[in-house]
């Protein structure tokens, strides 16, 4: 009789433990998937253009969702710069401004105007323009400032005082 | 009998000589004023002046015709079939006298008596005259970068110095071959893209060549896919650019082991130039110290320029 009681108690305890573990397992999984869902909701997908040897290549990047457009632009430019070689990847963003005609002014550190070949300079300007224009179609034009100043050229081949449009939209 | 024959022949010769001399003389006076040339034809005969006609041709040359054969005397000498009067070409064609200035925009003609004379004021385009001294630069050779804009650094040397050296040597070599050259930058100075472009577009060279150095071991020749300013002779510009590129590729392939690339990108000075414009990036191997390699490049570039220019001349002649 005692034996039967002991077996019954062990069975009850085992079943209770199994049920308890199963409950906790389900709960844990639910939390994780919820967390993943939340994380997905917080990220946004962007396409950036990058200069390669003779042409542009594209890359998908995920960045934290932002409401403010200028903040979004900053995140995209940071992603763009990170993908470049030295010294361009060391470039710091000093400011981003937008005027009433939707021209965006990007103020960068002088690392961005390092010496390069004509083709490299062209691809850099084109990639920069297309990266912003592709993700923010409302942008009418982009102007690059270096250390808060307008400059004639990045590396001596292309005039950038006025606009980047002619390089970005050139076929 | 022989004596008689000799006398007759002499008489015939003297008569024909007299007949030639009988062509009335018209005295020409010429002066250049601030914005017009003044031609004055003076004759003793009323008919010559009265029946003369003056026409400004479509090619902006001045044609003066007289009703009969005359001789023109200028500064004590009789003008021949072809002459140059103070820089203006003058020739006789079908009985008319052509003054080949090619820049006359308007003429005013006055006829006077006592003495009989015709006064022609030929107004020229002031700008074209002023530009003439600049047009002598057939080839404009632009040394890339300069001053604070140092360009890339190869073998411890700055692009601005290498490009300047090559450009100066190339200009000297072309000058030896009788080709006029100009350099927008002849020393280590800051020269903006806009200034380079202004020089090129004022000078209107036959070829505008910009020399740079590449960060790779290859030659790259650039021209612009399209010109900003659409000129009347756009197809001519493209033709010369393509000719230059073909000659460059052909000659450099024969003489160098390095790869040769061609790129069509809107480099500002190429896109905005109203003349045929090309940019060449030399391999990073180029060095101020390697005279043999530099001379090889300069010789090859000289040949490219000469062949391109001679092709252009042939094309002009073909059209004629």
């Amino acid at each position: 009789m005692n034996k039967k009681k002991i077996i019954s108690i062990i069975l009850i305890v085992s079943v209770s433990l199994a049920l308890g573990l199963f409950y906790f397992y389900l709960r844990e999984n639910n939390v994780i998937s919820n967390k993943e869902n939340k994380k997905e909701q917080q990220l946004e997908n962007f396409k950036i253009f990058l200069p390669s040897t003779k042409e542009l290549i594209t890359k998908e990047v995920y960045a934290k969702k932002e409401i403010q457009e200028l903040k979004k632009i900053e995140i995209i430019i940071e992603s763009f710069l990170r993908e470049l070689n030295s010294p361009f990847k060391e470039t710091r963003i000093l400011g981003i401004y937008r005027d009433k005609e939707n021209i965006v002014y990007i103020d960068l550190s002088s690392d961005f105007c390092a010496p390069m070949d004509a083709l490299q300079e062209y691809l850099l300007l084109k990639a920069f323009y297309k990266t912003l224009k592709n993700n923010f179609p409302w942008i009418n034009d982009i102007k690059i400032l270096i250390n808060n100043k307008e400059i004639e050229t990045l590396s001596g081949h292309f005039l950038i005082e006025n606009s980047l449009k002619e390089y970005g939209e050139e076929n | 009998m022989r004596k008689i024959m000799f006398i007759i022949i002499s008489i015939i010769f003297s008569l024909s000589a007299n007949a030639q001399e009988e062509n009335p003389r018209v005295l020409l006076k010429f002066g250049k004023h601030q914005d017009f040339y003044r031609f004055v034809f003076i004759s003793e005969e009323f008919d010559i002046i009265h029946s003369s006609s003056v026409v400004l041709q479509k090619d902006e040359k001045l044609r003066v015709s007289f009703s009969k054969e005359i001789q023109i005397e200028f500064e004590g000498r009789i003008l021949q079939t072809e002459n140059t009067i103070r820089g203006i070409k003058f020739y006789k064609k079908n009985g008319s006298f052509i003054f080949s200035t090619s820049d006359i925009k308007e003429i005013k003609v006055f006829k006077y008596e006592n003495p009989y004379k015709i006064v022609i004021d030929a107004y020229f385009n002031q700008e074209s005259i002023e530009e003439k001294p600049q047009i002598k630069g057939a080839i404009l050779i632009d040394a890339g970068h300069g001053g604070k804009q140092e360009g890339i650094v190869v073998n411890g040397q700055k692009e601005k110095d290498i490009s300047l050296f090559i450009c100066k040597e190339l200009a000297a070599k072309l000058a030896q071959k009788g080709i006029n050259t100009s350099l927008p930058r002849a020393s280590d100075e800051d020269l903006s893209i806009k200034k380079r472009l202004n020089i090129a577009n004022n000078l209107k060279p036959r070829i505008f060549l910009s020399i740079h150095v590449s960060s790779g071991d290859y030659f790259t020749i650039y021209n612009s896919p399209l010109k900003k300013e659409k000129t009347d002779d756009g197809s001519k510009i493209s033709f010369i650019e393509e000719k230059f590129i073909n000659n460059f590729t052909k000659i450099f392939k024969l003489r160098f082991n390095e790869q040769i690339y061609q790129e069509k990108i809107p480099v500002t000075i190429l896109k905005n130039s109203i003349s045929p414009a090309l940019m060449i990036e030399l391999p990073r191997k180029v060095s101020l110290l390697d005279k043999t390699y530099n001379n090889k490049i300069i010789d090859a570039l000289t040949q490219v320029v000469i062949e391109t220019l001679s092709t252009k001349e042939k094309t002009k002649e073909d059209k004629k």
Side-chain angles (χ1 to χ4, degrees), chain A residues 53-69:
Chain A
T53 321
K54 296 267 173 193
E55 58 197 356
L56 298 188
I57 53 168
T58 56
K59 191 174 179 180
E60 299 278 325
V61 291
Y62 292 88
K64 201 177 148 190
K65 260 191 179 173
E66 284 287 342
I67 299 164
Q68 209 196 347
E69 287 290 279

Side-chain angles (χ1 to χ4, degrees), chain B residues 135-165:
Chain B
I135 291 170
K136 67 184 178 188
I139 309 287
L140 182 65
I141 308 170
D142 170 47
H145 309 281
K148 286 175 202 158
Q149 188 75 253
E150 295 180 341
I152 60 169
V153 177
V154 287
N155 310 313
Q157 294 162 2
K158 292 165 187 165
E159 185 181 359
K160 62 173 184 174
D161 298 324
I162 299 171
S163 64
L164 181 62
F165 177 78

Side-chain angles (χ1 to χ4, degrees), chain B residues 154-198:
Chain B
V154 287
N155 310 313
Q157 294 162 2
K158 292 165 187 165
E159 185 181 359
K160 62 173 184 174
D161 298 324
I162 299 171
S163 64
L164 181 62
F165 177 78
I166 296 285
C167 286
K168 279 182 167 178
E169 292 291 311
L170 177 61
K173 187 88 181 179
L174 288 170
Q176 279 175 12
K177 302 277 178 188
I179 297 168
N180 286 331
T181 53
S182 299
L183 298 165
R185 176 171 86 82
S187 61
D188 182 18
E189 56 181 314
D190 280 306
L191 193 64
S192 70
I193 292 176
K194 279 182 188 168
K195 276 187 187 165
R196 286 170 209 258
L197 203 50
N198 280 342

Side-chain angles (χ1 to χ4, degrees), chain A residues 53-54 113 115-120 122 152-162 166-167 170-171, chain B residues 145 149 151-152 192-194 212-216 218 222 225-226 261 263 265-268 271 279 281:
Chain A
T53 321
K54 296 267 173 193
C113 56
M116 55 193 132
D117 291 349
L119 185 60
Q120 289 170 344
Y122 175 62
E152 190 195 38
T153 175
L154 286 186
S155 183
H157 310 101
F158 294 90
L159 206 65
I160 58 161
E161 271 176 344
N162 304 326
E166 61 175 313
Y167 310 122
E170 192 95 37
N171 291 318
Chain B
H145 309 281
Q149 188 75 253
I152 60 169
S192 70
I193 292 176
K194 279 182 188 168
H212 290 249
V213 179
S214 162
S215 59
Y218 43 77
Y222 298 92
L226 46 97
Y261 295 107
E263 295 289 345
I265 55 171
V267 177
T268 305
K271 186 180 176 181
M279 192 170 100
E281 280 179 350

Side-chain angles (χ1 to χ4, degrees), chain A residues 51-157:
Chain A
S52 181
T53 321
K54 296 267 173 193
E55 58 197 356
L56 298 188
I57 53 168
T58 56
K59 191 174 179 180
E60 299 278 325
V61 291
Y62 292 88
K64 201 177 148 190
K65 260 191 179 173
E66 284 287 342
I67 299 164
Q68 209 196 347
E69 287 290 279
L70 293 186
K71 188 68 192 167
K72 271 191 206 175
I73 291 175
E74 188 182 345
I75 291 167
I76 301 301
I77 296 173
E78 278 172 352
S79 308
F80 172 82
L81 293 171
R82 265 199 302 275
E83 297 292 333
L84 300 177
N85 297 327
S86 280
F88 304 102
K89 69 191 303 177
E90 279 91 50
T91 306
R92 285 168 294 112
I93 302 168
L94 306 177
I96 298 173
Y97 322 102
R98 170 187 183 175
D99 72 9
K100 59 183 176 184
E101 287 164 350
N102 285 336
I103 297 170
V104 176
Y105 296 76
I106 318 282
D107 188 6
L108 301 170
S109 66
S110 56
D111 305 284
F112 200 67
C113 56
M116 55 193 132
D117 291 349
L119 185 60
Q120 289 170 344
E121 187 177 352
Y122 175 62
L123 292 176
L124 180 66
L125 291 170
K126 191 170 183 167
F128 190 80
Y129 180 88
K130 282 178 91 82
T131 295
L132 292 181
K133 183 71 181 169
N134 194 266
N135 294 300
F136 306 96
W138 54 264
I139 292 178
N140 276 336
D141 205 348
I142 297 158
K143 283 183 88 169
I144 294 176
L145 307 175
I146 300 291
N147 292 336
N148 205 25
K149 280 181 198 161
E150 278 190 353
I151 56 159
E152 190 195 38
T153 175
L154 286 186
S155 183
H157 310 101

Side-chain angles (χ1 to χ4, degrees), chain B residues 3-67:
Chain B
K3 276 185 180 177
I4 295 165
M5 284 293 284
F6 177 74
I7 291 163
I8 292 167
I9 290 166
S10 302
I11 291 166
I12 291 167
F13 267 107
S14 62
L15 280 173
S16 63
N18 281 336
Q20 273 184 359
E21 276 180 13
E22 273 173 16
N23 279 348
R25 283 190 184 187
V26 172
L27 185 66
L28 169 63
K29 290 186 177 179
F30 170 78
K32 187 182 170 188
H33 297 259
Q34 195 179 358
D35 57 349
F36 66 92
Y37 301 115
R38 174 163 285 172
F39 300 86
V40 182
F41 296 87
I42 306 166
S43 174
E44 290 173 0
E45 291 182 40
F46 167 77
D47 278 350
I48 290 176
I49 297 301
H50 184 69
S51 59
S52 63
S53 70
V54 183
V55 176
L56 178 59
Q57 297 183 158
K58 278 184 183 172
D59 56 1
E60 299 178 348
K61 289 174 183 169
L62 186 69
R63 192 181 75 216
V64 184
S65 310
F66 296 93
S67 57

Side-chain angles (χ1 to χ4, degrees), chain B residues 46-305:
Chain B
F46 167 77
D47 278 350
I48 290 176
I49 297 301
H50 184 69
S51 59
S52 63
S53 70
V54 183
V55 176
L56 178 59
Q57 297 183 158
K58 278 184 183 172
D59 56 1
E60 299 178 348
K61 289 174 183 169
L62 186 69
R63 192 181 75 216
V64 184
S65 310
F66 296 93
S67 57
K68 54 179 157 182
E69 277 289 311
I70 57 149
Q71 291 176 307
I72 291 186
E73 186 187 331
F74 178 70
E75 293 181 340
R77 63 187 168 99
I78 302 295
L79 295 182
Q80 303 302 313
T81 316
E82 279 191 38
N83 283 273
T84 303
I85 306 166
R86 294 184 200 161
I88 294 184
K89 277 187 187 171
F90 159 91
Y91 59 90
K92 205 174 169 184
K93 191 180 173 187
N94 302 329
S96 298
F97 299 93
I98 312 287
F99 295 88
S100 176
T101 64
S102 77
D103 54 19
I104 296 175
K105 297 291 165 203
E106 189 190 350
I107 55 167
K108 286 179 182 173
V109 182
F110 311 93
K111 289 178 181 175
Y112 298 98
E113 290 179 13
N114 199 22
Y116 300 115
K117 63 181 174 187
I118 177 167
V119 177
I120 307 162
D121 287 345
Y123 291 83
F124 51 75
N125 186 347
Q126 188 73 17
E127 283 176 10
S128 69
I129 297 294
E130 281 169 1
E131 278 170 16
K132 266 187 180 167
Q134 296 174 323
I135 291 170
K136 67 184 178 188
I139 309 287
L140 182 65
I141 308 170
D142 170 47
H145 309 281
K148 286 175 202 158
Q149 188 75 253
E150 295 180 341
I152 60 169
V153 177
V154 287
N155 310 313
Q157 294 162 2
K158 292 165 187 165
E159 185 181 359
K160 62 173 184 174
D161 298 324
I162 299 171
S163 64
L164 181 62
F165 177 78
I166 296 285
C167 286
K168 279 182 167 178
E169 292 291 311
L170 177 61
K173 187 88 181 179
L174 288 170
Q176 279 175 12
K177 302 277 178 188
I179 297 168
N180 286 331
T181 53
S182 299
L183 298 165
R185 176 171 86 82
S187 61
D188 182 18
E189 56 181 314
D190 280 306
L191 193 64
S192 70
I193 292 176
K194 279 182 188 168
K195 276 187 187 165
R196 286 170 209 258
L197 203 50
N198 280 342
I199 292 169
N201 285 347
N202 284 328
L203 204 59
K204 293 173 196 150
R206 291 164 78 182
I207 298 171
F208 177 26
L209 196 58
S210 186
I211 304 289
H212 290 249
V213 179
S214 162
S215 59
D217 297 315
Y218 43 77
F219 290 96
T220 312
I221 183 160
Y222 298 92
N223 67 330
S224 179
L226 46 97
K227 295 277 183 190
K228 195 160 190 174
E229 301 292 333
K230 285 188 178 171
T231 53
D232 293 339
D233 47 3
S235 58
K236 197 170 123 190
I237 289 173
S238 307
F239 174 79
I240 296 165
E241 287 180 1
E242 290 305 323
K243 267 288 158 205
F244 191 99
I245 291 167
N246 290 343
N247 288 332
F248 179 86
T249 313
K250 182 185 76 185
I251 291 164
F252 275 70
K253 257 186 189 168
L254 283 173
R255 297 191 183 189
F256 294 88
N257 295 324
E258 287 88 354
Q259 285 287 325
I260 297 158
Y261 295 107
Q262 191 208 332
E263 295 289 345
K264 272 183 187 283
I265 55 171
V267 177
T268 305
I269 53 168
L270 306 185
K271 186 180 176 181
N272 294 278
S273 164
I274 58 171
S275 307
L278 298 122
M279 192 170 100
I280 294 168
E281 280 179 350
L282 306 171
R284 63 177 168 190
K285 182 183 168 186
V286 70
S287 158
L288 293 168
L289 306 171
D290 190 348
K291 280 187 180 174
T292 314
Y293 192 67
N294 291 344
N295 287 338
K296 204 174 159 187
I297 288 173
I298 289 154
D299 285 345
L301 280 174
T302 305
Q303 197 186 337
V304 174
V305 170

